[in-house]
Amino acid sequence: MFAFVLFTLRCLCTEHLFMQESSLLTPYVDGVGSFANWNAFGESVVKINGKSTFIQLGFSSPDSSGAIVSSQPIKQDRFCIDFVIEIANQENNGNDGEEGMSIWMSGESTFEEGACYGRSCNFNGILVAIKPSGKSYIGVKAGDVHANTQNADRSFDKVVYRDFVPGDVFIVRIEQDDQLTVYIGESNNLVPVHGYKALASKKDNFIGVSAYTGKYPSSMRIIGIESYKLKNFKRLVRDESQRGGSLVWILFFIVIGVTGYYLYSIQIKKK
């Protein structure tokens, strides 16, 4: 019974509010062919493959790169961003290629090109690097980033080695509430990669994604980016209190009612 109460409170404690200005969903572009709320760099194109539509970063392989950066910053310090990704057409037969993808958040609305899969490896913010071939991994680094994708163990705060099967669609989630955590996996099975107890991302950070094809071409595809604001429970209670406290009273009566019923059930069983 108390588990039900905790579940109910948890559902009410955090509210997900969709942020259109920081998301990127099909058809991706506006009426004149520009990415809505995003700036494109290098080779970035919308493609249709059968029933699938996606954004491909880097496509005139080998050695091509592309990137997109949000034109508006995240103005919240509590948020959840899902990057839906597909890495297809790997043709390196297990060779340790240079292709990969970088996801980052920083206070800069642009970036320098470099060796971190299309962007510079030196900046201040959050970097999530995905290497899909050879000794494949996902690496996470926050703060003063100085990374070397070819020496992952020494460059990142956390590295998880895993296989990326061509054609599989997976999610990379960056979520910041009381702490920042990076997840990877399917929608119903997200696994934490690494977390930071202190808030690692400040307000007004921009979101960026870049990819580099390397010698052996891989199709680095973005299926979608969904951003949400997480509304903190303490702030929610405070706001509701200022508006008359309706939510506070609802929660109060739910807890009292369920607790009373639970205690009454115990007394009946004792008799």
Side-chain angles (χ1 to χ4, degrees):
M1 185 61 67
F2 278 111
F4 171 76
V5 175
L6 292 174
F7 175 78
T8 303
L9 289 175
R10 184 177 180 183
C11 291
L12 292 171
C13 284
T14 304
E15 184 179 355
H16 290 64
L17 302 175
F18 182 68
M19 295 190 294
Q20 177 68 45
E21 67 277 9
S22 303
S23 300
L24 186 59
L25 304 173
T26 55
Y28 308 120
V29 295
D30 56 24
V32 295
S34 299
F35 288 110
N37 299 319
W38 293 76
N39 297 317
F41 301 85
E43 298 182 349
S44 307
V45 65
V46 176
K47 284 192 173 184
I48 299 176
N49 183 9
K51 296 182 179 180
S52 300
T53 305
F54 53 88
I55 299 169
Q56 185 165 325
L57 303 178
F59 52 87
S60 61
S61 55
D63 301 327
S64 64
S65 64
I68 54 173
V69 179
S70 61
S71 58
Q72 299 184 45
I74 295 286
K75 294 186 177 297
Q76 312 296 329
D77 55 8
R78 287 179 166 82
F79 55 82
C80 174
I81 308 171
D82 282 349
F83 301 85
V84 186
I85 298 167
E86 179 184 3
I87 301 177
N89 302 333
Q90 295 184 43
E91 301 176 1
N92 58 3
N93 297 319
N95 294 321
D96 201 9
E98 298 178 351
E99 66 272 15
M101 176 178 283
S102 287
I103 299 170
W104 74 87
M105 298 184 69
S106 75
E108 300 176 352
S109 59
T110 185
F111 68 99
E112 294 183 8
E113 294 186 12
C116 275
Y117 306 129
R119 71 143 298 137
S120 168
C121 298
N122 304 307
F123 68 100
N124 189 273
I126 302 164
L127 172 65
V128 180
I130 299 171
K131 184 177 185 297
S133 62
K135 195 175 181 181
S136 53
Y137 67 80
I138 176 171
V140 180
K141 176 70 175 178
D144 193 11
V145 177
H146 298 283
N148 180 352
T149 57
Q150 301 303 313
N151 191 2
D153 290 324
R154 294 185 178 182
S155 295
F156 296 97
D157 297 327
K158 180 68 175 182
V159 177
V160 174
Y161 292 95
R162 54 162 289 166
D163 293 329
F164 292 92
V165 180
D168 280 357
V169 176
F170 61 93
I171 295 173
V172 172
R173 172 176 292 176
I174 301 177
E175 183 176 86
Q176 180 165 280
D177 195 349
D178 293 328
Q179 66 175 22
L180 184 140
T181 308
V182 176
Y183 301 85
I184 190 171
E186 292 72 37
S187 58
N188 59 348
N189 186 29
L190 288 171
V191 178
V193 177
H194 192 55
Y196 299 89
K197 292 183 179 180
L199 296 181
S201 176
K202 300 178 181 178
K203 291 182 180 179
D204 297 328
N205 270 349
F206 294 85
I207 309 167
V209 185
S210 66
Y212 176 72
T213 60
K215 181 179 179 181
Y216 302 98
S218 292
S219 178
M220 317 299 289
R221 302 174 177 179
I222 300 174
I223 307 300
I225 301 174
E226 298 184 18
S227 301
Y228 297 88
K229 170 187 175 182
L230 301 182
K231 196 166 185 180
N232 183 261
F233 176 62
K234 292 180 180 179
R235 190 178 304 167
L236 182 63
V237 171
R238 183 190 64 201
D239 293 345
E240 286 293 326
S241 298
Q242 293 174 351
R243 291 196 295 264
S246 58
L247 177 61
V248 176
W249 284 109
I250 291 172
L251 291 175
F252 175 77
F253 284 120
I254 288 175
V255 173
I256 293 298
V258 175
T259 303
Y261 177 80
Y262 177 75
L263 295 175
Y264 174 76
S265 300
I266 293 177
Q267 293 297 324
I268 293 297
K269 290 180 180 179
K270 288 182 178 180
K271 293 180 180 180

